């Protein structure tokens, strides 16, 4: 495909579907510009559910983004288990109206084949359908930004559990005191702030898939509890003596070397072997450059941007330390920085994230590399602090604002010894 074929005037159709997550609710439903949901037959989707209001909710398309909006329904609309008034929808989000459950999807339910032009990576991808057909745990390893969560979503959608929930827990984004509650749930009054009973991820993912992202960052103190949950298929909520039987399929992912972590006593050997039944090692983008153009043209079409041939050649010279995520962010940045512009090589430097060591080399004539590194670290720390405060400590949103992988942000927080609880508490006391 030639770059010239991708133009801003090209009308790119963004497809989206609601997939029924409850048996007997019918086939996938394609979403249009405006889609109403309720008990009244005049809605686009009529639900015979006594817990659903006559006009319960609607889904609207704004540009390329779909929005869910509750229409002051009696029992509320829920997105991934949380009650919402209005929110942006992302692929594989789970929606609940009354006792009716749906999955927001970009496909009508059939999972496209996974392929790569890189023979070694393609050989691994060919195993994915066989992995999906089982209930065995899958361990996905590879560098940050290499598409581990995308692969986990694909395995879920290709499995017999695709009608169930896909629940994702980032083991590096939660404090040790909170992650046990997130995984196993808690009882009211079991700790300060536990004002209600709460289901954990194991319960929320019942009948579906539980994705444990950055499993290498799971605190060592919690690893025995996770191991027992996987071995015995039962859990206990925090503050409860009652055991609950589980029914989930586990997919875990990490950018860390778990074998090395096991050797350093940072990760339990028995938990490693329990998770590592089916293993996929995702390569860095630099190691599968045969796929570069397919990935690039897909992102360029999605964001409606045009690059000249020479601009694309310059992009290929970059080392892509952030992998596929960095490539996607670069194309998205091009759409934001240069709307309507046919991008040339001179635009590329401003679009690409420059590694810190390159920045040091550029300015070495003015200050020493050591001083430069300190300045950069101070600036980076201040930026992280500012965004953490603005996002009330939410690491996922902060990582998105800074254009960093969640795992990288977590490493920076640890390196800079940032205490999020203390930061937010201090900020609130000043206000």
């Amino acid at each position: 495909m030639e770059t010239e074929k991708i133009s801003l005037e090209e009308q790119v159709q963004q497809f989206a579907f609601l997939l029924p997550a409850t048996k007997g609710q019918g086939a996938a439903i394609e979403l249009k510009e405006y889609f109403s949901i309720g008990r009244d037959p005049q809605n686009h989707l009529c639900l015979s559910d006594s817990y659903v209001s006559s006009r319960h909710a609607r889904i609207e398309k704004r540009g390329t983004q779909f929005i869910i909006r509750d229409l002051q329904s009696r029992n509320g609309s829920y997105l991934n288990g949380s009650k919402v008034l209005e929110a942006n929808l992302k692929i594989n989000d789970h929606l609940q109206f009354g006792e009716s459950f749906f999955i927001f999807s970009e496909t009508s339910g059939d999972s496209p084949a996974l392929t790569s032009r890189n023979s070694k990576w393609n050989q691994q991808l060919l195993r994915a359908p066989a992995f999906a057909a089982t209930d065995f745990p899958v361990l996905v390893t590879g560098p940050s930004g290499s598409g581990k969560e995308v692969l986990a979503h694909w395995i879920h959608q290709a499995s017999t559990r695709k009608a169930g929930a896909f629940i994702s827990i980032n083991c590096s984004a939660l404090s040790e005191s909170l992650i046990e509650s997130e995984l196993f749930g808690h009882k009211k009054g079991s700790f300060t702030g536990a004002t209600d009973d709460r289901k954990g991820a194991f319960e929320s993912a019942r009948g579906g898939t539980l994705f444990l992202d950055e499993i290498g960052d799971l605190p060592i103190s919690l690893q025995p509890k996770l191991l027992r949950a996987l071995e015995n298929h039962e859990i206990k909520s925090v503050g409860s003596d009652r055991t609950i039987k589980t029914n989930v399929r586990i997919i875990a992912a990490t950018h860390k070397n778990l074998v090395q972590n096991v050797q350093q006593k940072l990760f339990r050997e028995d938990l490693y072997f329990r998770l590592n039944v089916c293993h996929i090692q995702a390569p860095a983008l630099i190691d599968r450059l045969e796929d570069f153009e397919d990935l690039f043209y897909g992102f360029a079409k999605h964001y409606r941007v045009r690059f000249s041939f020479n601009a694309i050649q310059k992009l290929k010279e970059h080392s892509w330390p952030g992998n596929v995520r960095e490539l996607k962010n670069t194309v998205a940045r091009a759409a934001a920085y240069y709307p309507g512009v046919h991008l040339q090589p001179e635009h590329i430097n401003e679009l690409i994230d420059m590694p810190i060591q390159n920045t040091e080399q550029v300015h070495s004539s003015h200050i020493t590399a050591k001083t430069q590194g300190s300045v950069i670290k101070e600036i980076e720390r201040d930026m992280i602090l500012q965004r953490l405060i603005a996002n009330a400590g939410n690491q996922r949103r902060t990582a998105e604002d800074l254009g960093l992988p969640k795992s990288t942000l977590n490493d920076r927080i640890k390196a800079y010894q940032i205490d999020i609880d203390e930061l937010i508490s201090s900020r609130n006391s000043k206000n």
Side-chain angles (χ1 to χ4, degrees), residues 16-18 31-37 57-61 66-69 89 95 97 104:
F17 299 84
L18 280 185
L31 298 172
K32 301 298 184 181
E33 301 285 334
Y34 178 92
F35 190 87
S36 60
I37 302 162
R58 71 168 174 256
I59 296 176
E60 303 173 9
K61 185 179 179 185
F66 283 88
I67 311 292
I68 175 68
R69 175 180 291 176
L89 290 175
L95 296 163
F97 312 107
F104 180 73

Side-chain angles (χ1 to χ4, degrees), residues 75-84 94-98:
N75 294 308
S77 301
Y78 289 80
L79 174 63
N80 298 324
S82 299
K83 193 173 184 179
V84 295
H94 288 256
L95 296 163
Q96 178 183 354
F97 312 107

Side-chain angles (χ1 to χ4, degrees), residues 379-404 409 413 418 420 423-424 427:
I379 293 172
E380 184 178 57
R381 186 177 189 276
D382 287 344
M383 290 175 64
I384 291 173
L385 288 172
Q386 291 172 18
R387 297 319 305 161
L388 282 171
I389 292 172
N391 291 317
N394 187 300
Q395 291 189 43
R396 181 180 290 274
R397 288 203 296 267
T398 299
E400 290 174 353
D401 289 351
L402 296 172
L404 294 173
L409 174 64
I413 289 172
I418 297 172
I420 296 178
L423 177 68
I424 301 305
R427 179 67 176 180

Side-chain angles (χ1 to χ4, degrees), residues 125-257:
L125 292 177
L126 290 174
R127 300 190 187 116
F131 291 175
T134 74
D135 258 355
F136 298 141
V138 178
L139 179 62
V140 186
T141 57
S144 295
S146 57
K148 298 186 293 295
E149 186 166 359
V150 173
L151 185 57
H153 275 297
W154 188 95
I155 292 172
H156 170 72
Q157 288 296 331
S159 74
T160 57
R161 292 175 173 267
K162 66 180 180 181
F166 180 94
I167 301 297
S168 176
I169 292 291
N170 189 324
C171 299
S172 69
L174 296 169
S175 65
E176 186 172 348
S177 60
L178 289 178
I179 195 167
E180 184 175 5
S181 170
E182 288 292 323
L183 286 173
F184 308 124
H186 64 249
K187 303 298 289 183
K188 180 180 179 180
S190 56
F191 56 86
T192 303
T195 56
D196 295 289
D197 290 353
R198 186 181 187 280
K199 286 183 178 180
F202 270 89
E203 271 289 271
S204 298
R206 178 173 293 277
T209 300
L210 176 56
F211 177 56
L212 300 176
D213 197 10
E214 298 304 344
I215 189 69
D217 292 322
L218 185 70
I220 193 74
S221 61
L222 285 179
Q223 292 178 23
K225 295 181 180 180
L226 176 59
L227 179 63
R228 283 196 297 272
L230 299 182
E231 288 183 336
N232 302 329
H233 302 289
E234 60 183 29
I235 59 170
K236 280 185 182 179
S237 299
V238 178
S240 173
D241 293 326
R242 185 172 69 91
T243 59
I244 303 170
K245 285 293 182 182
T246 63
N247 176 20
V248 298
R249 197 268 180 82
I250 300 292
I251 302 177
T254 182
H255 72 289
K256 293 188 173 180
N257 186 329

